[in-house]
mmCIF file of all heavy atoms in Angstrom:
data_model
loop_
_atom_site.group_PDB
_atom_site.id
_atom_site.type_symbol
_atom_site.label_atom_id
_atom_site.label_comp_id
_atom_site.label_asym_id
_atom_site.label_seq_id
_atom_site.Cartn_x
_atom_site.Cartn_y
_atom_site.Cartn_z
ATOM 1 N N THR A 279 120.714 -142.394 17.158
ATOM 2 C CA THR A 279 122.129 -142.294 17.544
ATOM 3 C C THR A 279 122.456 -143.163 18.758
ATOM 4 O O THR A 279 123.413 -142.879 19.478
ATOM 5 C CB THR A 279 122.508 -140.840 17.894
ATOM 6 O OG1 THR A 279 121.602 -140.398 18.903
ATOM 7 C CG2 THR A 279 122.469 -139.924 16.712
ATOM 8 N N ALA A 280 121.679 -144.198 19.000
ATOM 9 C CA ALA A 280 122.023 -145.108 20.102
ATOM 10 C C ALA A 280 123.373 -145.760 19.812
ATOM 11 O O ALA A 280 123.803 -145.858 18.659
ATOM 12 C CB ALA A 280 120.953 -146.179 20.242
ATOM 13 N N VAL A 281 124.023 -146.223 20.872
ATOM 14 C CA VAL A 281 125.240 -147.030 20.687
ATOM 15 C C VAL A 281 124.780 -148.380 20.143
ATOM 16 O O VAL A 281 124.189 -149.178 20.864
ATOM 17 C CB VAL A 281 125.971 -147.229 22.038
ATOM 18 C CG1 VAL A 281 127.119 -148.214 21.871
ATOM 19 C CG2 VAL A 281 126.461 -145.901 22.594
ATOM 20 N N LYS A 282 125.036 -148.628 18.878
ATOM 21 C CA LYS A 282 124.527 -149.873 18.303
ATOM 22 C C LYS A 282 125.621 -150.914 18.110
ATOM 23 O O LYS A 282 125.348 -152.076 17.836
ATOM 24 C CB LYS A 282 123.791 -149.573 16.995
ATOM 25 C CG LYS A 282 122.553 -148.692 17.266
ATOM 26 C CD LYS A 282 121.556 -148.657 16.158
ATOM 27 C CE LYS A 282 120.405 -147.724 16.536
ATOM 28 N NZ LYS A 282 120.320 -146.528 15.759
ATOM 29 N N ARG A 283 126.894 -150.478 18.260
ATOM 30 C CA ARG A 283 128.018 -151.430 18.206
ATOM 31 C C ARG A 283 129.052 -150.946 19.229
ATOM 32 O O ARG A 283 129.428 -149.777 19.216
ATOM 33 C CB ARG A 283 128.654 -151.431 16.805
ATOM 34 C CG ARG A 283 127.704 -151.908 15.710
ATOM 35 C CD ARG A 283 128.320 -151.745 14.323
ATOM 36 N NE ARG A 283 128.407 -150.366 13.908
ATOM 37 C CZ ARG A 283 129.317 -149.872 13.076
ATOM 38 N NH1 ARG A 283 130.253 -150.659 12.587
ATOM 39 N NH2 ARG A 283 129.311 -148.597 12.740
ATOM 40 N N LEU A 284 129.473 -151.867 20.102
ATOM 41 C CA LEU A 284 130.459 -151.490 21.126
ATOM 42 C C LEU A 284 131.806 -152.132 20.791
ATOM 43 O O LEU A 284 131.889 -153.358 20.664
ATOM 44 C CB LEU A 284 129.976 -151.974 22.496
ATOM 45 C CG LEU A 284 130.914 -151.737 23.672
ATOM 46 C CD1 LEU A 284 131.132 -150.254 23.930
ATOM 47 C CD2 LEU A 284 130.357 -152.403 24.941
ATOM 48 N N TYR A 285 132.829 -151.304 20.630
ATOM 49 C CA TYR A 285 134.191 -151.788 20.342
ATOM 50 C C TYR A 285 135.051 -151.504 21.565
ATOM 51 O O TYR A 285 135.216 -150.349 21.957
ATOM 52 C CB TYR A 285 134.750 -151.067 19.103
ATOM 53 C CG TYR A 285 134.001 -151.455 17.836
ATOM 54 C CD1 TYR A 285 132.798 -150.851 17.511
ATOM 55 C CD2 TYR A 285 134.486 -152.463 17.002
ATOM 56 C CE1 TYR A 285 132.088 -151.222 16.375
ATOM 57 C CE2 TYR A 285 133.785 -152.847 15.860
ATOM 58 C CZ TYR A 285 132.591 -152.220 15.550
ATOM 59 O OH TYR A 285 131.900 -152.609 14.439
ATOM 60 N N VAL A 286 135.586 -152.566 22.170
ATOM 61 C CA VAL A 286 136.368 -152.404 23.407
ATOM 62 C C VAL A 286 137.796 -152.894 23.191
ATOM 63 O O VAL A 286 138.015 -153.987 22.619
ATOM 64 C CB VAL A 286 135.740 -153.207 24.572
ATOM 65 C CG1 VAL A 286 136.418 -152.843 25.889
ATOM 66 C CG2 VAL A 286 134.260 -152.960 24.685
ATOM 67 N N HIS A 287 138.759 -152.096 23.671
ATOM 68 C CA HIS A 287 140.165 -152.482 23.534
ATOM 69 C C HIS A 287 140.423 -153.764 24.323
ATOM 70 O O HIS A 287 139.922 -153.933 25.440
ATOM 71 C CB HIS A 287 141.062 -151.339 24.042
ATOM 72 C CG HIS A 287 142.491 -151.543 23.667
ATOM 73 N ND1 HIS A 287 143.353 -152.341 24.389
ATOM 74 C CD2 HIS A 287 143.209 -151.062 22.620
ATOM 75 C CE1 HIS A 287 144.542 -152.336 23.808
ATOM 76 N NE2 HIS A 287 144.485 -151.568 22.733
ATOM 77 N N GLN A 288 141.241 -154.633 23.739
ATOM 78 C CA GLN A 288 141.457 -155.962 24.337
ATOM 79 C C GLN A 288 142.040 -155.905 25.761
ATOM 80 O O GLN A 288 141.757 -156.779 26.567
ATOM 81 C CB GLN A 288 142.353 -156.819 23.440
ATOM 82 C CG GLN A 288 143.746 -156.256 23.231
ATOM 83 C CD GLN A 288 144.571 -157.079 22.241
ATOM 84 O OE1 GLN A 288 144.023 -157.893 21.519
ATOM 85 N NE2 GLN A 288 145.875 -156.862 22.219
ATOM 86 N N ASP A 289 142.792 -154.844 26.082
ATOM 87 C CA ASP A 289 143.420 -154.791 27.415
ATOM 88 C C ASP A 289 142.404 -154.632 28.545
ATOM 89 O O ASP A 289 142.712 -154.954 29.698
ATOM 90 C CB ASP A 289 144.411 -153.610 27.495
ATOM 91 C CG ASP A 289 145.642 -153.865 26.657
ATOM 92 O OD1 ASP A 289 145.715 -154.956 26.056
ATOM 93 O OD2 ASP A 289 146.508 -152.967 26.594
ATOM 94 N N ILE A 290 141.236 -154.076 28.227
ATOM 95 C CA ILE A 290 140.253 -153.856 29.309
ATOM 96 C C ILE A 290 138.939 -154.604 29.045
ATOM 97 O O ILE A 290 137.986 -154.477 29.814
ATOM 98 C CB ILE A 290 139.923 -152.347 29.484
ATOM 99 C CG1 ILE A 290 139.420 -151.735 28.164
ATOM 100 C CG2 ILE A 290 141.098 -151.574 30.039
ATOM 101 C CD1 ILE A 290 138.636 -150.458 28.376
ATOM 102 N N ALA A 291 138.916 -155.384 27.954
ATOM 103 C CA ALA A 291 137.634 -155.949 27.514
ATOM 104 C C ALA A 291 136.953 -156.793 28.603
ATOM 105 O O ALA A 291 135.753 -156.623 28.869
ATOM 106 C CB ALA A 291 137.842 -156.773 26.243
ATOM 107 N N GLU A 292 137.717 -157.664 29.249
ATOM 108 C CA GLU A 292 137.083 -158.598 30.183
ATOM 109 C C GLU A 292 136.423 -157.854 31.350
ATOM 110 O O GLU A 292 135.244 -158.074 31.661
ATOM 111 C CB GLU A 292 138.142 -159.579 30.702
ATOM 112 C CG GLU A 292 137.499 -160.836 31.235
ATOM 113 C CD GLU A 292 138.545 -161.828 31.720
ATOM 114 O OE1 GLU A 292 139.655 -161.894 31.138
ATOM 115 O OE2 GLU A 292 138.235 -162.526 32.714
ATOM 116 N N SER A 293 137.185 -156.957 31.961
ATOM 117 C CA SER A 293 136.625 -156.253 33.123
ATOM 118 C C SER A 293 135.500 -155.305 32.691
ATOM 119 O O SER A 293 134.479 -155.173 33.374
ATOM 120 C CB SER A 293 137.710 -155.496 33.886
ATOM 121 O OG SER A 293 138.307 -154.552 33.021
ATOM 122 N N PHE A 294 135.663 -154.676 31.521
ATOM 123 C CA PHE A 294 134.638 -153.740 31.048
ATOM 124 C C PHE A 294 133.312 -154.477 30.821
ATOM 125 O O PHE A 294 132.252 -154.040 31.280
ATOM 126 C CB PHE A 294 135.101 -153.064 29.740
ATOM 127 C CG PHE A 294 134.174 -151.979 29.281
ATOM 128 C CD1 PHE A 294 134.365 -150.670 29.695
ATOM 129 C CD2 PHE A 294 133.083 -152.259 28.460
ATOM 130 C CE1 PHE A 294 133.501 -149.662 29.294
ATOM 131 C CE2 PHE A 294 132.215 -151.261 28.056
ATOM 132 C CZ PHE A 294 132.431 -149.961 28.473
ATOM 133 N N VAL A 295 133.395 -155.604 30.130
ATOM 134 C CA VAL A 295 132.158 -156.336 29.814
ATOM 135 C C VAL A 295 131.511 -156.864 31.096
ATOM 136 O O VAL A 295 130.285 -156.838 31.247
ATOM 137 C CB VAL A 295 132.438 -157.469 28.798
ATOM 138 C CG1 VAL A 295 131.202 -158.332 28.581
ATOM 139 C CG2 VAL A 295 132.906 -156.872 27.468
ATOM 140 N N HIS A 296 132.348 -157.283 32.046
ATOM 141 C CA HIS A 296 131.797 -157.752 33.320
ATOM 142 C C HIS A 296 131.004 -156.629 34.018
ATOM 143 O O HIS A 296 129.860 -156.826 34.437
ATOM 144 C CB HIS A 296 132.926 -158.262 34.223
ATOM 145 C CG HIS A 296 132.458 -158.555 35.615
ATOM 146 N ND1 HIS A 296 131.661 -159.653 35.906
ATOM 147 C CD2 HIS A 296 132.617 -157.860 36.776
ATOM 148 C CE1 HIS A 296 131.348 -159.616 37.196
ATOM 149 N NE2 HIS A 296 131.919 -158.553 37.746
ATOM 150 N N LEU A 297 131.628 -155.450 34.107
ATOM 151 C CA LEU A 297 130.955 -154.320 34.783
ATOM 152 C C LEU A 297 129.663 -153.931 34.061
ATOM 153 O O LEU A 297 128.633 -153.643 34.682
ATOM 154 C CB LEU A 297 131.888 -153.097 34.835
ATOM 155 C CG LEU A 297 133.051 -153.187 35.808
ATOM 156 C CD1 LEU A 297 134.028 -152.037 35.576
ATOM 157 C CD2 LEU A 297 132.527 -153.151 37.247
ATOM 158 N N LEU A 298 129.730 -153.923 32.726
ATOM 159 C CA LEU A 298 128.544 -153.544 31.943
ATOM 160 C C LEU A 298 127.419 -154.567 32.151
ATOM 161 O O LEU A 298 126.251 -154.202 32.330
ATOM 162 C CB LEU A 298 128.920 -153.435 30.457
ATOM 163 C CG LEU A 298 127.794 -153.022 29.518
ATOM 164 C CD1 LEU A 298 127.207 -151.663 29.901
ATOM 165 C CD2 LEU A 298 128.290 -152.967 28.058
ATOM 166 N N LYS A 299 127.805 -155.842 32.172
ATOM 167 C CA LYS A 299 126.803 -156.908 32.346
ATOM 168 C C LYS A 299 126.077 -156.744 33.697
ATOM 169 O O LYS A 299 124.850 -156.860 33.767
ATOM 170 C CB LYS A 299 127.523 -158.256 32.286
ATOM 171 C CG LYS A 299 126.618 -159.449 32.364
ATOM 172 C CD LYS A 299 127.411 -160.717 32.044
ATOM 173 C CE LYS A 299 126.532 -161.916 32.182
ATOM 174 N NZ LYS A 299 126.784 -162.810 33.221
ATOM 175 N N VAL A 300 126.834 -156.428 34.729
ATOM 176 C CA VAL A 300 126.222 -156.234 36.055
ATOM 177 C C VAL A 300 125.199 -155.099 35.978
ATOM 178 O O VAL A 300 124.076 -155.216 36.481
ATOM 179 C CB VAL A 300 127.316 -155.925 37.111
ATOM 180 C CG1 VAL A 300 126.692 -155.501 38.433
ATOM 181 C CG2 VAL A 300 128.222 -157.138 37.305
ATOM 182 N N ARG A 301 125.578 -154.004 35.317
ATOM 183 C CA ARG A 301 124.669 -152.845 35.221
ATOM 184 C C ARG A 301 123.438 -153.170 34.366
ATOM 185 O O ARG A 301 122.314 -152.795 34.702
ATOM 186 C CB ARG A 301 125.409 -151.631 34.637
ATOM 187 C CG ARG A 301 126.387 -151.001 35.577
ATOM 188 C CD ARG A 301 125.707 -150.307 36.771
ATOM 189 N NE ARG A 301 125.100 -149.052 36.396
ATOM 190 C CZ ARG A 301 123.811 -148.750 36.536
ATOM 191 N NH1 ARG A 301 122.975 -149.635 37.060
ATOM 192 N NH2 ARG A 301 123.345 -147.572 36.173
ATOM 193 N N VAL A 302 123.667 -153.902 33.261
ATOM 194 C CA VAL A 302 122.547 -154.235 32.372
ATOM 195 C C VAL A 302 121.552 -155.118 33.124
ATOM 196 O O VAL A 302 120.330 -154.931 33.030
ATOM 197 C CB VAL A 302 123.065 -154.935 31.089
ATOM 198 C CG1 VAL A 302 121.911 -155.532 30.292
ATOM 199 C CG2 VAL A 302 123.835 -153.940 30.222
ATOM 200 N N GLU A 303 122.070 -156.058 33.888
ATOM 201 C CA GLU A 303 121.172 -156.979 34.597
ATOM 202 C C GLU A 303 120.431 -156.278 35.740
ATOM 203 O O GLU A 303 119.440 -156.802 36.246
ATOM 204 C CB GLU A 303 121.961 -158.192 35.091
ATOM 205 C CG GLU A 303 122.327 -159.077 33.900
ATOM 206 C CD GLU A 303 123.227 -160.252 34.252
ATOM 207 O OE1 GLU A 303 123.721 -160.307 35.406
ATOM 208 O OE2 GLU A 303 123.434 -161.099 33.367
#
Side-chain angles (χ1 to χ4, degrees):
T279 55
V281 172
K282 296 197 182 112
R283 297 174 289 151
L284 177 64
Y285 293 82
V286 190
H287 192 277
Q288 62 185 15
D289 289 359
I290 56 159
E292 201 179 327
S293 60
F294 187 90
V295 174
H296 171 72
L297 287 170
L298 181 59
K299 184 170 177 248
V300 171
R301 287 292 285 121
V302 169
E303 288 175 351

